[in-house]
Amino acid sequence: MGTTDPELQAIEFPYPPPKFLPDERHGIYACRPNVLRLVRARRAHECEDLGMHPSSALKFETAGVSEVTPSGESLTSTAAGVARRSAVAEEQEFLDVATARRDTLADHLQAELSSEALDASERARQRMLRHQYEGLRRAQDGLVFGRLDGLDGTVRHVGRVGLRNDGEDSEPLLVDWRAPAARPFYTATAVDPEGQARRRHIRTAGSVVVGVDDEPLDGTITAELVGEGALLAALDQRRSGRMSTAVSTLQREQDDIIRAEATGPLIVQGGPGTGKTVVALHRVAYLLFAHRTMADQAVLVLGPSPRFLQYIAQVLPALGETAVVSATCDTLLPQIRVGRDESRLLAEVKGRALWQSVLESYVASLLPRPRELKLRWEGEFYVITAEAVGEALASAVQGRPYHRARAAFAEQLHHLLAEAVVEQRGALMNEMEEGFEDILARVDRGMQHDRHFDRRRPSGSDIDGLLSEEEVEDLRSRIAENATIARFVEAWWPTLDAEALLRDFLSDRTRLARFARQLSMEEITAVSAEPAPWASSDIPLLDALADLLGEVEAPQPQGEFVADRARRQRDWVYGHVVIDEAQELSEMQWHMVLRRCPSRSITAVGDIDQAEAAHRHTSWAQAVQAVLGERWTAAELTICYRTPREVMDLTEPVLAEAGSRNVPPRAVRSSGIAPWQLTITPAELAGAAVEAARQLQRRWHGGTVGVIAPAVRLAELQAVLSDVPVLTATQSKGLEWDATLLIDPQGIAAEPRGWNGLYVALTRCTQEIGQLLLT
């Protein structure tokens, strides 16, 4: 509808203002970089509530405004408006049916779960039902988000979970987004429609359909992005400080990676804003859906920091998946925590793959050597030859860690001792037999004439002194349970504690020089001089040593849910491992990953250009060669959805300084906000940072603002900015905010691997970035 209402204003800004996409709360329906057309905001004092720069010189002019829909379609077109309202009503009717069906199924499952499980089979069934119930319960928002209209006239709705109508053989009411039938929703194009005539994105708020976006697949409309309107609307929403699911807006290159086979390590290179974390988490949900047995082993998600894990914490539960353990490399060992920082030099030295073979050689040196053993049993001494001990040792240590090898050797020693007892007893009986044959014969004849003689023939040791098989087995059992024999084995092959052993080893320069010959004397001296608390780079060494030693006794997994059992057990073997920010892993941390997933079913996502770790790898091949060799598959995300063009344009010179050999991702959206900067003195820093942060908070009211600064500036800024996160570039990795305030970018660049850190810092925002430069 056209209007000349004088209260509808066009607001001019002296510099590009924040871009506003559809927002019914504020009534903003359309904009261009320098002019916002407002429908409901009638007065100047409302501008600040809309996020406009408080210091801007505003000029109000009467403007005729045509109200438009979020996609830009004019509502003055009666036919278009009627069609849209009809489509919304149609999808609302379907959503009501699907919601009712979901509630019915959830009530049915809840009733079944109320009954007591009487045996293991019933408990397993209840775990499965509980998983289904949780999936339905969590599918509140976005239960239905898509629809596919086939060329053959079939209509399929796509949603968070799959729903069936009554009857096992009925057609699905709602297709789970992970099912093969839903894949065209993410991959069909006008060039290859995959049998589809139209794709429809359905936007909902709770149980209400608020909009639809139709995308014909007949070639009449071509778009680079799948569901472009829905995607851009989602990207321009205020950030909440928590990552949300993206099942309704996944793009084809993302979906290809999500559904890739899990047959070996898949390493995904993706620049800022390409959605690599989204891809990694949705891949977990897909794999748990497609490979049900994987849930029996759980999936491990490794992130760069506890803050990052908190940021992504609700994504997988929202997708209905709970068989997941989240951790950092520093928290993988139960009850072990990092107690100090360390230098980058030592972090790099102790992150090298050479430590795996060093520790293997060291533990092998602790094994007992073959020698003759003299054991006492029931008052007699028995000798086990050195040759027999050597054979038992070689058999015991084959493929076993230290403590399990000892248990295997002890079992063989029990057999050897039992054999020695039997053999020695037999020899004694043979010596005695010759002298007593005549006596025994006479006694036997006399007993035969005795009328009370029991003519049943005696057997085993009753007649010849030899032990029967049952008696030999009883002897072995008694030897195995004998405390004196156990003490002897413990003294000869002692129990070792991984923590104490590693501390002793790392502090002993002589041992380090003997076993870690690849290290220089300067490096050995630096390692041996470290204080007692564990540093981050010690955790992989401790894990390697604990694995080489093994458990003294096999742990009994405890906990009702598989994730609880896996979390408590160091040597748990996972069905799949996902690594986010994988470029930060050292070679020894990669070994930690492989120990937890020997099948190599691994998805690693990251950006090698954002690497800030102490290692010097500048390519994925360098990063994984020492551990994975050539046995891995590469994939790439090339489109930047989150970070606007205005910000990505700042990164080219930074990447050049960082020595990048990669093509940065291509940004597909613009925020309409030019990056800005302010030069100040160090004395002005605190006040300027507070003022700039407050302005950003006002402009992005309802969203999030983050501050990134060099490590040396952190304490000063955290003291005056208590209500916004103030982080280093490394700490901000993987996070995102509506707006970023970047403090002293040159100071960040001057830090170790600083250009990579600056690249990270520049690309955390979804809308606006401001920089405070220090003179």
Side-chain angles (χ1 to χ4, degrees), residues 198-253:
R198 181 180 68 176
R199 170 172 42 225
R200 170 175 286 176
H201 284 260
I202 303 165
R203 300 192 306 280
T204 61
S207 59
V208 178
V209 176
V210 298
V212 297
D213 290 310
D214 283 337
E215 191 178 351
L217 298 171
D218 56 5
T220 57
I221 297 178
T222 59
E224 180 180 21
L225 303 175
V226 172
E228 183 171 0
L231 173 64
L232 295 181
L235 291 171
D236 275 281
Q237 288 177 350
R238 295 290 197 271
R239 304 296 102 178
S240 66
R242 291 290 188 93
M243 179 174 281
S244 59
T245 64
V247 289
S248 63
T249 57
L250 293 172
Q251 300 298 296
R252 178 162 191 155
E253 71 172 10

Side-chain angles (χ1 to χ4, degrees), residues 702-741:
T704 57
V705 174
V707 178
I708 303 177
V712 296
R713 303 283 181 189
L714 230 56
E716 176 186 3
L717 292 168
Q718 288 172 341
V720 296
L721 294 171
S722 58
D723 57 345
V724 293
V726 181
L727 309 172
T728 65
T730 300
Q731 292 168 340
S732 72
K733 194 175 293 291
L735 306 180
E736 63 177 30
W737 303 286
D738 292 280
T740 300
L741 179 62

Side-chain angles (χ1 to χ4, degrees), residues 720-772:
V720 296
L721 294 171
S722 58
D723 57 345
V724 293
V726 181
L727 309 172
T728 65
T730 300
Q731 292 168 340
S732 72
K733 194 175 293 291
L735 306 180
E736 63 177 30
W737 303 286
D738 292 280
T740 300
L741 179 62
L742 183 55
I743 308 290
D744 188 14
Q746 287 302 316
I748 293 175
E751 295 178 325
R753 301 297 297 270
W755 291 106
N756 302 84
L758 184 55
Y759 181 53
V760 172
L762 284 170
T763 54
R764 296 306 92 199
C765 72
T766 64
Q767 303 291 351
E768 180 180 359
I769 187 169
Q771 302 183 63
L772 298 184

Side-chain angles (χ1 to χ4, degrees), residues 532-593:
W534 296 124
S536 181
S537 66
D538 291 319
I539 303 301
L541 305 187
L542 185 58
D543 185 62
L545 192 55
D547 187 69
L548 291 167
L549 294 179
E551 305 295 335
V552 178
E553 295 181 2
Q556 297 299 316
Q558 296 181 347
E560 182 180 4
F561 299 105
V562 64
D564 294 329
R565 299 197 297 274
R567 193 176 289 109
R568 297 188 183 103
Q569 191 169 325
R570 184 202 61 79
D571 58 353
W572 186 272
V573 174
Y574 290 89
H576 192 78
V577 176
V578 167
I579 312 167
D580 205 315
E581 303 293 345
Q583 75 278 357
E584 303 301 336
L585 265 62
S586 70
E587 291 168 344
M588 285 304 294
Q589 287 172 331
W590 274 105
H591 274 297
M592 287 183 79
V593 172

Side-chain angles (χ1 to χ4, degrees), residues 368-552:
R369 296 294 179 260
R371 67 174 176 85
E372 181 182 278
L373 299 180
K374 191 174 183 180
L375 302 174
R376 184 170 183 169
W377 178 254
E378 294 183 343
E380 299 290 337
F381 284 100
Y382 299 89
V383 174
I384 312 298
T385 66
E387 182 181 4
V389 171
E391 291 177 356
L393 273 171
S395 173
V397 301
Q398 191 69 34
R400 293 186 180 92
Y402 177 93
H403 290 125
R404 292 181 191 172
R406 182 183 65 179
F409 174 80
E411 185 176 347
Q412 293 188 57
L413 184 64
H414 300 155
H415 284 269
L416 289 171
L417 178 57
E419 289 174 2
V421 171
V422 171
E423 183 178 347
Q424 187 162 315
R425 180 168 180 173
L428 289 173
M429 291 305 298
N430 286 335
E431 292 177 5
M432 296 172 60
E433 188 176 73
E434 293 180 5
F436 288 98
E437 279 182 351
D438 292 341
I439 298 173
L440 291 173
R442 287 195 298 271
V443 171
D444 187 39
R445 286 194 297 272
M447 293 179 72
Q448 288 180 13
H449 292 292
D450 190 338
R451 61 188 179 88
H452 299 294
F453 175 65
D454 185 351
R455 294 185 179 275
R456 290 176 299 175
R457 298 287 298 169
S459 62
S461 58
D462 290 337
I463 187 67
D464 58 12
L466 298 178
L467 301 179
S468 67
E469 285 298 323
E470 292 80 4
E471 290 170 320
V472 171
E473 188 59 39
D474 177 67
L475 174 62
R476 289 171 183 159
S477 297
R478 289 189 293 118
I479 290 173
E481 295 169 359
N482 184 269
T484 302
I485 300 296
R487 283 194 297 271
F488 172 84
V489 173
E490 172 66 28
W492 191 62
W493 194 325
T495 298
L496 299 176
D497 176 72
E499 289 192 72
L501 191 64
L502 183 61
R503 283 199 173 98
D504 288 344
F505 180 65
L506 293 180
S507 62
D508 189 326
R509 284 189 293 178
T510 302
R511 285 179 183 166
L512 286 173
R514 175 187 170 192
F515 291 99
R517 296 178 180 176
Q518 303 95 321
L519 299 182
S520 68
M521 285 309 300
E522 291 78 7
E523 290 170 336
I524 289 174
T525 300
V527 169
S528 63
E530 285 194 291
W534 296 124
S536 181
S537 66
D538 291 319
I539 303 301
L541 305 187
L542 185 58
D543 185 62
L545 192 55
D547 187 69
L548 291 167
L549 294 179
E551 305 295 335
V552 178

Side-chain angles (χ1 to χ4, degrees), residues 142-362:
L143 174 64
V144 181
F145 57 76
R147 168 174 153 170
L148 288 168
D149 292 5
L151 290 169
D152 58 0
T154 59
V155 174
R156 290 192 181 94
H157 280 84
V158 180
R160 289 267 298 276
V161 295
L163 297 175
R164 282 194 175 275
N165 285 305
D166 290 324
E168 288 295 323
D169 298 328
S170 62
E171 283 294 309
L173 173 68
L174 184 64
V175 177
D176 191 298
W177 69 274
R178 297 163 288 191
R183 189 166 195 191
F185 183 76
Y186 302 106
T187 59
T189 65
V191 176
D192 181 15
E194 301 183 32
Q196 308 304 314
R198 181 180 68 176
R199 170 172 42 225
R200 170 175 286 176
H201 284 260
I202 303 165
R203 300 192 306 280
T204 61
S207 59
V208 178
V209 176
V210 298
V212 297
D213 290 310
D214 283 337
E215 191 178 351
L217 298 171
D218 56 5
T220 57
I221 297 178
T222 59
E224 180 180 21
L225 303 175
V226 172
E228 183 171 0
L231 173 64
L232 295 181
L235 291 171
D236 275 281
Q237 288 177 350
R238 295 290 197 271
R239 304 296 102 178
S240 66
R242 291 290 188 93
M243 179 174 281
S244 59
T245 64
V247 289
S248 63
T249 57
L250 293 172
Q251 300 298 296
R252 178 162 191 155
E253 71 172 10
Q254 296 174 324
D255 187 76
D256 287 344
I257 293 171
I258 287 170
R259 297 175 194 262
E261 288 297 319
T263 54
L266 175 66
I267 298 181
V268 182
Q269 163 64 27
T274 54
K276 46 188 181 295
T277 299
V278 164
V279 166
L281 296 177
H282 286 70
R283 177 161 168 77
V284 171
Y286 169 75
L287 291 174
L288 288 172
F289 174 85
H291 304 281
R292 299 294 187 183
T293 56
M294 197 175 281
D296 296 334
Q297 297 175 273
V299 171
L300 174 64
V301 175
L302 283 177
S305 66
R307 182 185 289 271
F308 174 83
L309 295 177
Q310 184 180 14
Y311 172 62
I312 67 170
Q314 80 289 352
V315 174
L316 287 168
L319 293 171
E321 302 301 344
T322 57
V324 177
V325 174
S326 297
T328 69
C329 287
D330 287 353
T331 62
L332 266 181
L333 298 185
Q335 282 83 52
I336 303 296
R337 291 295 176 264
V338 170
R340 63 180 174 87
D341 295 327
E342 63 186 335
S343 71
R344 289 179 65 83
L345 169 63
L346 283 171
E348 189 276 326
V349 169
K350 290 195 292 185
R352 298 174 194 171
L354 64 89
W355 288 95
Q356 185 65 35
S357 58
V358 166
L359 293 173
E360 288 172 1
S361 298
Y362 177 52

Side-chain angles (χ1 to χ4, degrees), residues 625-695:
Q625 175 68 37
V627 181
L628 301 182
E630 305 296 330
R631 297 173 55 191
W632 57 280
T633 302
E636 188 172 6
L637 295 167
T638 62
I639 300 174
C640 174
Y641 307 101
R642 178 194 69 207
T643 311
R645 291 190 193 97
E646 294 85 350
V647 175
M648 287 303 295
D649 288 344
L650 301 175
T651 64
E652 185 174 350
V654 175
L655 284 175
E657 291 285 354
S660 171
R661 291 179 286 180
N662 297 308
V663 176
R666 180 169 49 86
V668 294
R669 57 184 282 270
S670 170
S671 68
I673 309 171
W676 55 268
Q677 60 186 38
L678 179 65
T679 301
I680 59 174
T681 66
E684 298 172 315
L685 175 59
V690 170
E691 176 61 22
R694 297 294 174 264
Q695 291 184 11

